[in-house]
Amino acid sequence: MHRTLSTVARGTAFEERSLQLLQECFSMSLKRVGGKSDGGVDLLGWWWLPLSSDSQSAPMTPPRRRIRVLAQCKAEKKKFSPNYVREMEGVWHMHAQARSPSESSIPVSELDTVALLLSESKFTTATLTRALGSGVPFLLMHLPPPTPVSSDSDVETTLGEVGSAFWNPALGGAEGLLRGEFDVRWERDPGGGGRPGMWCRDKRVQNWTPDTHGECVNAIEDIDR
């Protein structure tokens, strides 16, 4: 029989699953900050992306630019409401205004912030419409619940069903943070399921973060400043 998790345990498990996937597939250095005083943020950190295609470096390798990530994770059975988008817009504006003195020397290009919403349930049409029309850079990701390998096993697959990912023009458009240079593609596994991946000019972007490649920059501590 498959074990039924409590609401809190299910939420925690989803946050951990989301964090792992984002670090392994999206070049994000994140930490969990969920709790009563989380300020509306479950995962916090940096997104490490290749520099502009105008750079002399190939899009597959460093150097990278960093974008701040504010993420909320919702492990609910009901469909994802547009109210969560409105809530996240408020969180984004609050963080954008709370620039610390230690960040005064950081280039403005490194202080861009993306709002990331992850959900086990599907997004409603109203939710997508709200996010697409927002001036806040949004990335929405649907990660269906993992399923048992068999009906007689409690062992779960890592990612489960194929999900979906959407971003709005403020993030992925030609005038957005990503300058229209990147795509998100959901890559299917031969055995079923799949995972999201980043692509730049039809080339897959290699996953990279400073903390996983022995660099001196500690992205997790950096976000606390």
Side-chain angles (χ1 to χ4, degrees):
M1 297 290 291
H2 181 55
R3 293 186 299 271
T4 301
L5 299 177
S6 67
T7 301
V8 173
R10 178 175 175 172
T12 299
F14 182 59
E15 289 177 10
E16 293 176 346
R17 183 164 69 97
S18 298
L19 186 150
Q20 179 184 359
L21 181 142
L22 293 169
Q23 290 186 157
E24 294 179 355
C25 303
F26 264 72
S27 300
M28 293 187 184
S29 297
L30 304 169
K31 68 175 182 179
R32 290 184 60 236
V33 292
K36 293 183 179 180
S37 59
D38 62 11
V41 176
D42 296 316
L43 304 176
L44 186 66
W46 297 101
W47 191 4
W48 301 89
L49 292 172
L51 294 175
S52 168
S53 58
D54 294 333
S55 168
Q56 295 299 315
S57 300
M60 301 287 285
T61 59
R64 303 262 172 147
R65 63 181 290 218
R66 65 178 183 176
I67 297 175
R68 189 190 298 274
V69 178
L70 308 174
Q72 279 189 359
C73 304
K74 301 293 183 182
E76 300 178 354
K77 294 182 179 179
K78 62 181 180 181
K79 287 189 176 182
F80 197 94
S81 166
N83 290 335
Y84 292 135
V85 177
R86 287 191 284 269
E87 176 184 315
M88 194 59 172
E89 286 174 330
V91 171
W92 185 91
H93 284 292
M94 179 185 68
H95 279 263
Q97 295 172 1
R99 180 177 176 179
S100 68
S102 64
E103 292 176 326
S104 60
S105 62
I106 300 177
V108 174
S109 63
E110 292 194 350
L111 292 176
D112 292 330
T113 303
V114 60
L116 173 56
L117 294 174
L118 302 109
S119 175
E120 276 199 338
S121 60
K122 294 182 179 180
F123 299 107
T124 65
T125 300
T127 298
L128 295 176
T129 299
R130 172 75 188 199
L132 288 173
S134 177
V136 171
F138 267 108
L139 171 59
L140 277 62
M141 195 171 298
H142 172 218
L143 304 179
T147 54
V149 174
S150 69
S151 59
D152 298 325
S153 172
D154 286 332
V155 178
E156 295 180 335
T157 59
T158 303
L159 298 175
E161 303 173 10
V162 172
S164 55
F166 309 87
W167 56 35
N168 65 357
L171 177 60
E175 303 299 323
L177 292 186
L178 304 185
R179 309 183 185 107
E181 297 176 347
F182 295 89
D183 295 310
V184 178
R185 302 180 186 179
W186 206 274
E187 302 163 351
R188 295 176 180 270
D189 291 335
R195 64 181 63 223
M198 291 287 296
W199 292 70
C200 179
R201 294 195 172 187
D202 292 326
K203 292 183 179 180
R204 197 183 193 287
V205 177
Q206 178 183 354
N207 193 66
W208 185 93
T209 58
D211 45 315
T212 57
H213 286 76
E215 299 291 335
C216 296
V217 177
N218 190 324
I220 298 302
E221 291 182 358
D222 228 8
I223 194 67
D224 292 326
R225 294 187 302 177

